[in-house]
Amino acid sequence: MINTVFDNVDVCVIGAGHAGCEAALACARLGLETVVFTVSADNIAFMPCNPHIGGSSKGHLVREIDALGGEMGKNIDKTFLQSKMLNVSKGPAVHSLRAQADKLQYSLLMKKKLEAQEHLTIKQTEVVELITEEVTPESVDAFGTNLSKEGYKYRITGVKVATGGIYNCKAVILCTGTYLKARCLCGESITYTGPNGMQPSNSLSASLINAGIELRRFKTGTPARMDGNSIDYSKMTEQFGDTPVVPFSFSTDPAEVQKPQVSCWLTYTNEKTHEIIRQNIDRSPMYSGVIEGIGPRYCPSIEDKVVKFPDHDRHQVFIEPEGTFTNEVYVDGMSSSMPEDVQLQMYRSVPGLENCKIVKNAYAIEYDCLESGQLSPVLEVRTIRGCFSAGQFNGSSGYEEAAAQGLYAGINAVRQITGKPYITIDRSEGYIGVLIDDLVTKDNHEPYRMMTSRAEYRLFLRQDNADLRLRKKGYEAGLISQEQYDYLLLKEKLIASEIERLKATRVGANAAVQKFMTEHGSSTLKTACTLAELICRPELSYDIIADIDPDRPQLTKDVTEQVEINIRYEGYITRQESQIAAFKKLENKLIPADIDYDKVSSLRIEARQKLKKFKPINIGQASRIGGVNPADISVLLVYIDSVYKTDRA
């Protein structure tokens, strides 16, 4: 085969799923010539599993992607079928937006966005090889950085595609999803395809291994898709969307998302369902030993649920529409790798599905992904200069996690090429920071899934204030416009001013006020109090007290929401800010890049091994590595203070 150089570009993005789309758009929007490779240009931003965006903690990620200048939130605002705010009975820290997507429209609109983007080219072909060159002790980048001293063994020079074409580039972003050496399993049937029968990527894994990258096998799965006309919805409970609809994107006009919504439906498995599964469990590839990869703990198959939770006599099953122009529905809660005949039996045992017709069988999928411990905090493979990665290749799961990583990797690939400081987000600044820190510092033995419980500072990291937390970083990166940034500064000013006014404005215990309090089920006042104190009462709110606050300014909903939350939870937020300050001290305590852990006496063997594997850049990060305990951190601090202060002296 003759190898021909087809193009010289800045960035090659491998994969056009949710990670690849955000990565490619970020690079192109920042002015770098970018090509995004995909095995199917007709399946850009495809949703091979659940047809929805957002959900618990994932809604936070979508809002943060939007705050940084990403596309996912804008796209789902234009293509949703149903929208719902989850966990509204709880506090604002765990409120999460979730939208049912028209998966075809979502994909088409994202493709259109990529096609219209200047500096971005879509190429349908399989990338089969990373082209690298070895780093020597004399190797430096364009800005004079010695690559060998930074720990690099290779640097990216291009990629090779299946037809022999070569694309020279300065950086590669691996967004391969579940396509690397993928195989799908449905009982005894094994097909060597990517998700939904698409072409897998069978050659790239060998090239990655040759470049020193360690891979492992993970597994995920998906339920059957059914003909909606064959379902008896009268035996199910209808699930409605919210009114009014709250948009994901901070730049979406709320009026634009108020539209008729499509219902979802709730039903349950039963003992008959579970008995069918138990009788055929030996035919499940998961339990017969055929599946090698490790599956996601927090998104188990129905056979996993039945085996691991034998005391549960039923499990929820949600019937969710896949789009406006299809009758296919998604059977959420019943993913499986059982044989087709068993699937039909178990699905038809569920109320409402007695006569169901399966359009696409449920299946499990195995794929190659990155072994933990090889990524830097900017999602670059530590040993290969210019090789970034994002999404399920990094050992995560979920569209939102993938998109967040893709955006983050794209931004930092550009920063590296242009010689600018990396944009980083730590655990106190965003769910994206929690996600990336967990992927970088932890031995993730199963597909990682974001959850609100993973965030130590979740009262501060709310989905409603993502713009206030991260839009400045998006502006610094170059993805947020001056107009958007100016509005952010105005919003901050309006929030602070209104909080100050409410704390300073007092209302007396006069007859009109006492009548108002009684009408709203609140105890009457014994003495005068501030409007801020009234907002703290659970039965009152910022909007409710408008009748006794005639001098309030006209403010938008996004401002008043922040005012109320900050007043109502002020004590908790202040305490969390103190915790963040303590966290920052450890994050700011840097570990020298040339430290030799073998010379740190009194450091336990396990801690030494883990520190050498994960290479933390600061003490805070080191403290979160499994196998490194507080005593090890104390030893490390003493060593750094004594040895490196002496060296500087």
Side-chain angles (χ1 to χ4, degrees):
M1 182 183 293
I2 297 175
N3 297 326
T4 304
V5 176
F6 279 102
D7 215 344
N8 293 305
V9 299
D10 294 309
V11 183
C12 288
V13 179
I14 304 176
H18 303 280
C21 287
E22 295 292 353
L25 284 171
C27 293
R29 286 169 173 170
L30 293 172
L32 270 64
E33 292 302 322
T34 305
V35 57
V36 56
F37 297 95
T38 173
V39 294
S40 173
D42 296 322
N43 287 285
I44 288 171
F46 181 64
M47 296 182 182
C49 196
N50 48 39
H52 67 252
I53 296 293
S56 183
S57 77
K58 294 169 180 282
H60 292 67
L61 287 173
V62 181
R63 282 282 178 87
E64 292 183 357
I65 290 166
D66 186 74
L68 290 169
E71 194 64 28
M72 178 173 267
K74 298 179 181 67
N75 203 51
I76 187 60
D77 281 345
K78 295 174 182 176
T79 58
F80 75 93
L81 298 172
Q82 186 195 92
S83 181
K84 217 168 192 176
M85 188 70 76
L86 305 183
N87 304 322
V88 290
S89 63
K90 302 176 182 178
V94 294
H95 291 178
S96 291
L97 195 58
R98 180 189 187 275
Q100 201 67 30
D102 185 320
K103 62 190 294 182
L104 177 61
Q105 291 299 313
Y106 186 95
S107 175
L108 290 173
L109 197 63
M110 188 66 83
K111 181 183 180 182
K112 185 176 181 181
K113 183 63 67 172
L114 266 63
E115 290 174 335
Q117 180 59 52
E118 189 179 3
H119 304 298
L120 179 57
T121 301
I122 300 169
K123 180 66 178 180
Q124 178 173 295
T125 188
E126 180 187 352
V127 174
V128 297
E129 183 181 340
L130 292 187
I131 303 175
T132 62
E133 64 180 20
E134 286 192 35
V135 166
T136 67
E138 295 76 32
S139 296
V140 295
D141 64 14
F143 308 98
T145 303
N146 187 293
L147 301 183
S148 180
K149 289 184 178 179
E150 293 291 318
Y152 296 107
K153 296 180 180 179
Y154 303 93
R155 66 173 160 189
I156 290 291
T157 61
V159 301
K160 181 179 177 181
V161 299
T163 53
I166 291 174
Y167 291 76
N168 292 327
C169 64
K170 300 169 186 174
V172 165
I173 306 176
L174 299 166
C175 304
T176 54
T178 61
Y179 285 81
L180 289 187
K181 294 182 71 175
R183 66 172 188 166
C184 293
L185 303 98
C186 177
E188 297 85 0
S189 172
I190 300 176
T191 54
Y192 290 85
T193 70
N196 205 43
M198 288 187 281
Q199 177 187 333
S201 177
N202 288 323
S203 301
L204 186 58
S205 290
S207 174
L208 299 178
I209 293 170
N210 289 337
I213 295 176
E214 296 179 51
L215 301 179
R216 61 182 170 190
R217 296 287 278 178
F218 269 174
K219 166 263 172 189
T220 187
T222 191
R225 307 313 195 272
M226 292 179 181
D227 181 353
N229 292 328
S230 67
I231 294 173
D232 183 355
Y233 294 105
S234 68
K235 296 181 179 180
M236 303 178 181
T237 305
E238 191 167 6
Q239 306 286 298
F240 300 98
D242 288 346
T243 303
V245 173
V246 177
F248 271 104
S249 176
F250 292 99
S251 60
T252 297
D253 182 350
E256 295 178 358
V257 295
Q258 310 308 319
K259 64 180 185 181
Q261 298 182 58
V262 178
S263 292
C264 296
W265 301 83
L266 172 64
T267 183
Y268 294 89
T269 63
N270 50 56
E271 186 53 39
K272 182 180 178 181
T273 315
H274 302 176
E275 186 57 31
I276 292 168
I277 292 169
R278 284 192 288 264
Q279 288 176 355
N280 292 277
I281 198 67
D282 60 317
R283 298 182 65 195
S284 166
M286 290 183 58
Y287 287 90
S288 65
V290 175
I291 289 181
E292 303 166 4
I294 301 171
R297 178 191 304 262
Y298 300 104
C299 189
S301 65
I302 187 61
E303 51 261 43
D304 248 359
K305 293 179 185 178
V306 170
V307 170
K308 293 180 179 178
F309 306 102
D311 56 321
H312 286 42
D313 57 7
R314 68 177 190 172
H315 296 282
Q316 286 185 328
V317 179
F318 288 95
I319 304 301
E320 302 172 346
E322 292 236 311
T324 305
F325 301 105
T326 178
N327 285 325
E328 281 185 35
V329 295
Y330 178 86
V331 189
D332 195 355
M334 287 191 74
S335 71
S336 178
S337 60
M338 283 289 196
E340 183 175 7
D341 60 302
V342 179
Q343 287 188 31
L344 198 58
Q345 289 181 59
M346 71 180 190
Y347 284 128
R348 286 184 171 176
S349 70
V350 175
L353 302 182
E354 293 89 348
N355 298 302
C356 69
K357 295 179 180 178
I358 296 177
V359 178
K360 299 172 185 174
N361 291 324
Y363 63 86
I365 183 169
E366 282 189 312
Y367 54 95
D368 284 350
C369 62
L370 191 68
E371 181 66 65
S372 57
Q374 300 178 83
L375 288 175
S376 77
V378 295
L379 295 185
E380 184 185 29
V381 176
R382 294 183 186 277
T383 56
I384 307 178
R385 173 75 169 190
C387 182
F388 294 80
S389 64
Q392 286 188 255
F393 178 73
N394 285 349
S396 65
S397 66
Y399 311 141
E400 302 82 4
E401 289 93 331
Q405 292 172 64
L407 176 61
Y408 188 82
I411 290 171
N412 282 313
V414 173
R415 305 292 284 190
Q416 183 181 97
I417 291 171
T418 56
K420 297 177 181 177
Y422 293 124
I423 298 292
T424 59
I425 301 171
D426 67 37
R427 299 182 74 90
S428 70
E429 295 173 318
Y431 273 74
I432 293 177
V434 175
L435 165 66
I436 291 168
D437 188 64
D438 282 350
L439 291 175
V440 169
T441 64
K442 290 179 170 49
D443 271 315
N444 293 304
H445 299 295
E446 61 196 31
Y448 178 91
R449 181 180 182 180
M450 194 71 247
M451 296 181 290
T452 53
S453 59
R454 296 190 189 276
E456 302 93 324
Y457 313 112
R458 56 184 172 273
L459 181 56
F460 185 71
L461 306 182
R462 305 184 310 276
Q463 53 101 34
D464 58 78
N465 68 356
D467 59 334
L468 297 169
R469 291 185 283 110
L470 294 178
R471 186 137 280 193
K472 290 180 181 178
K473 287 183 181 285
Y475 177 73
E476 181 186 353
L479 293 174
I480 294 298
S481 69
Q482 186 65 48
E483 181 182 4
Q484 290 172 316
Y485 182 66
D486 289 342
Y487 177 74
L488 176 73
L489 298 180
L490 174 62
K491 182 177 177 179
E492 289 179 330
K493 183 178 179 181
L494 291 173
I495 293 168
S497 176
E498 181 64 352
I499 290 174
E500 183 179 356
R501 186 189 73 84
L502 292 167
K503 287 183 175 181
T505 303
R506 301 180 68 82
V507 292
N510 55 54
V513 171
Q514 302 291 39
K515 179 183 178 183
F516 169 85
M517 301 298 286
T518 301
E519 288 175 346
H520 289 87
S522 189
S523 58
T524 55
L525 301 180
K526 295 181 180 179
T527 60
C529 70
T530 67
L531 292 174
E533 290 172 328
L534 290 182
I535 289 174
C536 290
R537 295 192 176 196
E539 64 275 4
L540 301 179
S541 68
Y542 181 86
D543 289 338
I544 289 174
I545 66 169
D547 291 343
I548 54 173
D549 183 20
D551 298 324
R552 67 169 48 183
Q554 290 282 7
L555 298 172
T556 55
K557 180 66 177 177
D558 61 330
V559 171
T560 61
E561 179 183 39
Q562 294 305 308
V563 169
E564 179 162 347
I565 291 173
N566 277 278
I567 288 176
R568 192 181 288 272
Y569 297 95
E570 182 179 26
Y572 298 103
I573 292 173
T574 300
R575 185 169 64 186
Q576 194 135 103
E577 287 173 342
S578 298
Q579 294 168 345
I580 290 173
F583 162 83
K584 291 283 190 183
K585 287 182 180 179
L586 292 179
E587 298 298 295
N588 292 332
K589 184 71 174 178
L590 300 180
I591 297 175
D594 61 347
I595 190 170
D596 185 349
Y597 290 108
D598 289 327
K599 293 183 179 179
V600 185
S601 59
S602 302
L603 197 61
R604 294 178 312 110
I605 293 175
E606 182 186 10
R608 184 177 290 115
Q609 291 172 340
K610 289 298 183 71
L611 291 166
K612 288 164 72 174
K613 176 181 178 179
F614 289 100
K615 297 180 176 61
I617 61 173
N618 58 55
I619 292 296
Q621 199 177 76
S623 69
R624 294 188 292 275
I625 295 173
V628 179
N629 64 33
D632 299 317
I633 296 298
S634 297
V635 169
L636 193 55
L637 282 168
V638 170
Y639 178 83
I640 292 172
D641 286 343
S642 61
V643 173
Y644 286 89
K645 281 186 178 179
T646 301
D647 288 347
R648 286 195 295 271

